[in-house]
Structure formats: C-alpha cells, structure tokens
Amino acid sequence: MNAKVYDRRNLIRGSIALAVYIGAIVAANILSANFGLVPVGFGLVVSAGTYAAGFALLSRDFVHTYLGVRGVLLGMAVGLALSWFLATPALALASAVAFLVAEVADMLVFLWARPRGFVRAALISNCVSAPVDTVLFLWIAGFPLTFESIVGQMVGKIVWATIVPLAIFVGVKALVRMRRVRRTHRDTTPVGKLVQ
C-alpha cells in the first residue's frame, strides 16, 4: 500500500472518529441537560449523558491516533461550542473543564501506554480519565457527588462505553485478520492442491 492511500485512509478514519467524538460530546450534554440523573439499576444513578460521554472518551483515543492532539482539541472546541447552544451554558462549562482536565490526563497516559498497543493504551487511559471527568463534571454541573452517582458513572463509562466497544474492535480486527490469512493461503496454494 502506498503512502498516499495509507494517509487518505487515516484521514477518513480520523474524520469519522472526529465526527463521533463531537457528536458524543454534544449528545452527552443535551441528554444531561434534559434528563439530569437517571437510575441504571442496583441503586446506581448516572447523568443521562454518561454513555455518550464514555463514547467521547473512547473516540478521543481514535481521533488522537489518526489526527493527533490538534484533532482532539478541534473536536473538543466544536463539541463544547455546540453544547453551549444546544444544551445549557452551565453544562457546556462543566463539560469544558472536565474534558480539558480529563483530556490532559488521558493524553499523558495514552502516550505513555501507546507503545504497548492501542487497545491497552485506550483501556488504561480511559480508566484514568473517566474518574477525573466524572468527579469534575458532577461537581461543576451541580449534580450530587454520591457513591451511587460516581460508581454508576464508572460502570457506564468504563464497562459499557470502553470495555465493550474495545472488545468489539478487537473481535472485528481478529475476523479481518483471519480473512486475510485465508485469502493469502488460498492465493498461494497451487491450483492442483485446491482441486484435490
């Protein structure tokens, strides 16, 4: 594959990740503004935008991989500007502070862990940034900082919006790799052996 095709693919992947990132930020703020805290079972509560915020944490790692720090900052700025108008200024401010601090924490951990592989780096960095994002967001937005709300947010952001999508990502990559191996094996096997 030549460099131009590779760069174009990375730009397309980065653009898709950026759109998901911006959408997740806006969706998280709109849902939280309209529904506040919602029960999720087992006595736990989350801000209504928790799952979308969790996808923002994960999609940010893809944006960082394909578009770098500038892409992350662009996505954050656009998402928060849209949130200012589509949700509430108070939630946009809470998101801005929480995302900014969580972004720095995530970026530092992600860069440190990236040589060990994307999935491991995304998981570790999200496990660090999710609690930071949660506590700051709940506190600044005026939601209660209770055991139920913090644990609920962690389950939403780390389990459902990080671990599950990363597991799907790993599974899809494994399937694609198996198909390539089978295709390569089929293409390199002599015709006579395929007929037998």
Side-chain angles (χ1 to χ4, degrees):
M1 180 181 317
N2 68 34
K4 284 186 180 181
V5 172
Y6 182 75
D7 288 343
R8 188 172 48 231
R9 284 185 182 174
N10 280 346
L11 182 60
I12 291 168
R13 291 172 181 155
S15 298
I16 292 168
L18 183 62
V20 170
Y21 181 48
I22 292 168
I25 292 171
V26 174
N29 288 323
I30 290 172
L31 290 168
S32 293
N34 289 319
F35 300 105
L37 293 177
V38 295
V40 291
F42 305 104
L44 302 175
V45 294
V46 298
S47 63
T50 295
Y51 298 102
F55 282 109
L57 297 175
L58 182 59
S59 60
R60 175 195 54 222
D61 292 330
F62 283 98
V63 172
H64 189 248
T65 296
Y66 295 117
L67 302 177
V69 175
R70 288 183 182 168
V72 172
L73 295 175
L74 172 67
M76 189 188 323
V78 171
L80 294 174
L82 290 171
S83 294
W84 185 273
F85 297 105
L86 298 174
T88 67
L91 281 174
L93 176 64
S95 276
V97 172
F99 269 127
L100 188 59
V101 175
E103 289 294 332
V104 171
D106 184 275
M107 186 171 51
L108 293 173
V109 173
F110 185 79
L111 289 172
W112 168 78
R114 184 63 176 102
R116 295 170 180 86
F118 173 80
V119 172
R120 184 176 294 171
L123 180 61
I124 293 169
S125 66
N126 285 356
C127 286
V128 169
S129 63
V132 172
D133 178 74
T134 293
V135 171
L136 284 174
F137 177 77
L138 289 174
W139 178 59
I140 295 168
F143 291 118
L145 285 172
T146 63
F147 174 82
E148 293 80 8
S149 65
I150 292 172
V151 172
Q153 301 267 103
M154 292 302 96
V155 169
K157 289 178 183 174
I158 294 174
V159 175
W160 292 110
T162 299
I163 293 174
V164 170
L166 281 174
I168 292 169
F169 176 74
V170 168
V172 168
K173 278 186 77 169
L175 288 173
V176 168
R177 194 177 309 120
M178 281 186 350
R179 287 184 66 194
R180 283 186 188 145
V181 167
R182 285 183 184 157
R183 189 178 313 128
T184 302
H185 177 69
R186 185 183 66 229
D187 293 345
T188 59
T189 303
V191 178
K193 289 195 175 181
L194 287 175
V195 175
Q196 293 175 355

